[in-house]
Amino acid sequence: MSSLCAQISLGEGLIIAGAQLVELDLSDNAFGPDGVRGFEALLKSSTCFTLHELKLNNCGMGIGGGKILAAALTECHRKSSAQGKPLALKVFVAGRNRLENDGATALAEAFGIIGTLEEVHMPQNGITHPGVAALAQAFAVSPLLRVINLNDNTFTEKGAVAMAKTLKTLRQVEVINFGDCLVRSRGAVAIADAIHGGLPKLKELNLSFCEIKRDAALSVAEAVADKVELEKLDLNGNTLGEEGCEQLQEVLDGFNMAKALASLSDDEGEEDEDEDEDEDGEEEEEEGEEEEEEEEEEEEPQQGEQREESITPPRKILDPNSGEPAPVLSSPPPADVSTFLAFPSPEKLLRLGPKSSVLIAQQTDTSDPEKVVSAFLKVSSVFKDEATVRSAVQDAVDTLMKKAFSSSSFNSNAFLTRLLVHMGLLKSEDKIKAIANLYGPLMALNHMVQQEYFPKALAPLLLAFVTKPNGALESCSFARHNLLQTLYKV
C-alpha cells in the first residue's frame, strides 16, 4: 500500500467494482506528496461520492499533497453535486502531515465548499495563524462540526482570536483540542468569551501547554460554568503558579465541576517577567503605565518640578572650595500629593510616608462624587500584591472613602454610578474614556466593600454590574472573582 503503483491499482479496482465507499483509511503510509496522486483519481470518482470518513494520518503529504488532496475533494463535490447527491464528508483526519499554512489553506477552501464536516483532526502540521484563520473561516460554514482537533500547531493570539470568532457561531461542538497551540493569555480570554456565549454541548476543552497565565485560565474556568455536559477541562502545563492552580480548582469547585479538571502536575509556575509576548495581563499593564509615566515626567520635567518647588523649595548646597552650588545627589526627591495624583505610581505613594492616606483625603473634595471617584481610581491604579504597596493603597482608600461616606451631603449612589462609568461597566452620555486596567480598582473595591463605612445598600448594584459579561472584567478574572465572592457575602 505504500507504493504509488499499489495505490493506483487499489483505486482502479474499487472504481471498476462499482464500490460506494463510506470510509477510506490510508493512515500511517509514508507515501508523501506524490503518493496522493496515487488515489487522486479514486477521490474524484463516483466511488467516493458517498464518502463520509477520510483518514490520512501520518502520511507525510506535505504542502503539495495537501493541495492535491484539496483539489480532488473539491472536484468530487462538484461532480457529486451535479448528480444531485453532493459529497457529505463528515470526518477528516490528517495529523502529522507537514501541511503547513499553504496546505491547510487549500484544504480549508475545500471544507468550506463541502460544508458537512463533523470532525476535523489536523494535529502537528506546522500550521500558524494564517492557516488557522483560514480553517476558522471554513469551520464557520460547517454548522454540524462536533470535534476540532488542531493540537500542536501554532495559533498565537491572532489565530486564537480568529478561531474564537468562529466558535461563537457554532452550536454543536463537543470537543475542542487546542493543546500545545501557543494560544497565550489573550487568545485564551478570546476563546473563553466565545465559550461563555455559546457551545452549549461542550464536553472537552484542551488548552494545555499554551503559555496561559493565571487570570486568563480563571476566565476559561468561569466560562464553562454553565456547560452541564463538560467532562474534561485540561489547562495543564501553563503558567498558573501554585496559588493560581488552587484558585482554578476553587472556581471549578464553586460550579461543582472540580472533577472535570485534568491534572495540573506539569504547571510551569507563575512567570515573574513577560517573555516574547505582549499581554494585557495586570502586571504588564501596570509596568507599561509606570514606564509611560516616567517618560512623561522626563519629557515634561517642569510640570512636576514646579509643583514640588512651589511647596518645598530645594536648598542649594555650596561647594566649600569653589563656592558654587554642589552637584545634586541622585536620591529620590520627596513626593507631594499633587505630584502623586497627577502621575500616580507605587513609588510616589510610598514616598508620601505614613501620613499618605490623610494627605490624599485632605487634598480631595469629598463632597464631590466625581472628585472622589478620580482620587479612588488614581490610588487604586497603583495597587500591587507587595505587602507595603497593598497596605498603603488600602489605608488611602479607607481614609478617603470613610470621610466621603460619613458626610451627610455625600451622594453615595452618584459616586457608585460615576465609578461604574469610569470603569467602563456603565454607559454614559458623557464622552468618558474608561480606564484600561481594572485590576487595581477591583482589588481596592474588594477591600472597601468589607469595611463598616461602606453602605451595604450599594452592594446589590455593584454586584449586578460586575456580574455582567465585559471584556475588561474578563481580563482581570482573578480580581473579579474575589470581588464577586465578597459581594455575595455582604
Side-chain angles (χ1 to χ4, degrees):
M1 279 298 296
S2 60
S3 70
L4 178 61
C5 291
Q7 291 175 50
I8 293 174
S9 298
L10 174 65
E12 289 177 347
L14 290 170
I15 293 170
I16 293 171
Q20 297 289 294
L21 294 182
V22 175
E23 179 180 353
L24 177 60
D25 188 350
L26 299 175
S27 297
D28 300 314
N29 287 289
F31 45 69
D34 291 336
V36 182
R37 295 197 181 279
F39 58 92
E40 180 182 10
L42 173 64
L43 286 176
K44 292 179 179 180
S45 73
S46 60
T47 297
C48 287
F49 287 0
T50 53
L51 195 63
H52 286 172
E53 299 185 17
L54 178 59
K55 300 176 181 179
L56 302 169
N57 202 55
N58 192 30
C59 293
M61 290 189 291
I63 295 172
K67 289 182 176 180
I68 296 168
L69 177 60
L73 289 172
T74 302
E75 181 66 6
C76 180
H77 184 271
R78 186 189 68 80
K79 287 183 176 180
S80 58
S81 296
Q83 294 189 11
K85 294 181 179 180
L87 171 67
L89 189 65
K90 295 180 180 179
V91 178
F92 180 83
V93 180
R96 301 184 66 185
N97 271 291
R98 296 180 289 115
L99 294 170
E100 300 182 15
N101 287 335
D102 289 347
T105 300
L107 286 165
E109 291 176 2
F111 296 162
I113 292 170
I114 295 169
T116 56
L117 284 168
E118 296 180 11
E119 295 185 25
V120 175
H121 302 264
M122 297 175 65
Q124 206 171 353
N125 270 296
I127 306 169
T128 61
H129 71 83
V132 173
L135 288 169
Q137 290 180 345
F139 296 163
V141 291
S142 302
L144 303 177
L145 205 54
R146 294 185 298 103
V147 178
I148 305 174
N149 178 7
L150 296 177
N151 187 283
D152 199 9
N153 289 291
T154 308
F155 281 42
T156 66
E157 179 200 349
K158 291 182 179 179
V161 169
M163 192 61 70
K165 185 177 179 181
T166 286
L167 290 175
K168 288 183 178 182
T169 69
L170 299 174
R171 306 295 297 174
Q172 305 300 320
V173 173
E174 298 176 3
V175 177
I176 296 173
N177 186 346
F178 297 158
D180 206 13
C181 282
L182 203 66
V183 303
R184 291 178 171 161
S185 293
R186 286 192 291 187
V189 169
I191 292 170
D193 182 54
I195 294 170
H196 184 78
L199 304 181
K201 298 183 179 181
L202 188 64
K203 294 181 178 179
E204 293 185 22
L205 175 62
N206 185 348
L207 292 175
S208 60
F209 299 93
C210 282
E211 294 190 5
I212 298 171
K213 297 180 183 177
R214 179 185 64 185
D215 279 359
L218 292 173
S219 292
V220 173
E222 290 171 356
V224 301
D226 61 343
K227 309 308 170 191
V228 295
E229 296 185 35
L230 189 72
E231 298 172 359
K232 183 177 181 180
L233 172 62
D234 194 346
L235 288 166
N236 196 19
N238 288 299
T239 54
L240 311 185
E242 184 177 349
E243 184 179 351
C245 290
E246 292 175 357
Q247 291 165 356
L248 184 64
Q249 291 170 329
E250 288 174 4
V251 170
L252 289 169
D253 190 48
F255 304 143
N256 294 319
M257 289 185 172
K259 292 181 179 179
L261 183 62
S263 169
L264 298 172
S265 59
D266 293 320
D267 185 74
E268 296 290 336
E270 193 168 8
E271 289 184 353
D272 294 328
E273 297 179 357
D274 293 323
E275 299 177 0
D276 305 323
E277 177 180 1
D278 183 21
E279 292 283 13
D280 276 339
E282 73 237 14
E283 292 181 3
E284 187 177 22
E285 285 209 353
E286 287 175 8
E287 291 170 4
E289 288 170 2
E290 289 172 24
E291 290 173 3
E292 288 175 6
E293 290 159 6
E294 289 171 2
E295 290 172 2
E296 286 174 1
E297 289 180 283
E298 290 174 4
E299 292 172 1
E300 300 178 349
Q302 290 131 359
Q303 184 175 2
E305 288 172 5
Q306 284 175 357
R307 285 185 184 135
E308 291 182 359
E309 288 172 6
S310 66
I311 298 171
T312 55
R315 255 180 50 200
K316 292 185 178 180
I317 302 174
L318 300 181
D319 187 299
N321 296 321
S322 64
E324 297 295 325
V328 178
L329 297 177
S330 59
S331 58
D336 63 79
V337 178
S338 298
T339 304
F340 168 73
L341 292 175
F343 303 104
S345 74
E347 294 75 21
K348 292 192 187 78
L349 178 61
L350 294 177
R351 289 209 301 270
L352 287 174
K355 294 184 178 181
S356 60
S357 59
V358 175
L359 293 172
I360 292 169
Q362 289 175 345
Q363 186 81 2
T364 306
D365 180 1
T366 51
S367 65
D368 186 340
E370 184 69 27
K371 291 180 179 177
V372 175
V373 167
S374 176
F376 172 84
L377 290 175
K378 287 177 178 179
V379 170
S380 62
S381 70
V382 305
F383 183 94
K384 281 189 174 181
D385 289 320
E386 296 175 14
T388 53
V389 177
R390 180 174 63 247
S391 178
V393 169
Q394 291 175 349
D395 287 347
V397 166
D398 285 341
T399 305
L400 173 68
M401 298 313 304
K402 186 175 182 179
K403 181 181 177 183
F405 286 132
S406 63
S407 172
S408 59
S409 61
F410 184 70
N411 190 330
S412 300
N413 289 321
F415 163 77
L416 183 56
T417 299
R418 300 306 297 168
L419 180 62
L420 292 171
V421 168
H422 282 275
M423 292 176 68
L425 306 182
L426 178 64
K427 292 182 179 179
S428 170
E429 294 180 359
D430 302 331
K431 293 183 178 179
I432 294 175
K433 184 178 180 181
I435 58 175
N437 185 9
L438 296 182
Y439 179 73
L442 289 172
M443 295 298 284
L445 280 170
N446 184 51
H447 170 78
M448 183 177 75
V449 299
Q450 299 178 61
Q451 309 310 311
E452 290 185 3
Y453 63 74
F454 178 74
K456 299 301 185 280
L458 298 181
L461 180 60
L462 181 58
L463 176 62
F465 281 92
V466 177
T467 306
K468 287 183 177 181
N470 182 283
L473 286 174
E474 287 164 5
S475 67
C476 301
S477 59
F478 168 62
R480 179 194 195 184
H481 175 69
N482 279 356
L483 177 56
L484 285 173
Q485 281 192 322
T486 301
L487 287 170
Y488 281 125
K489 298 174 184 176
V490 172

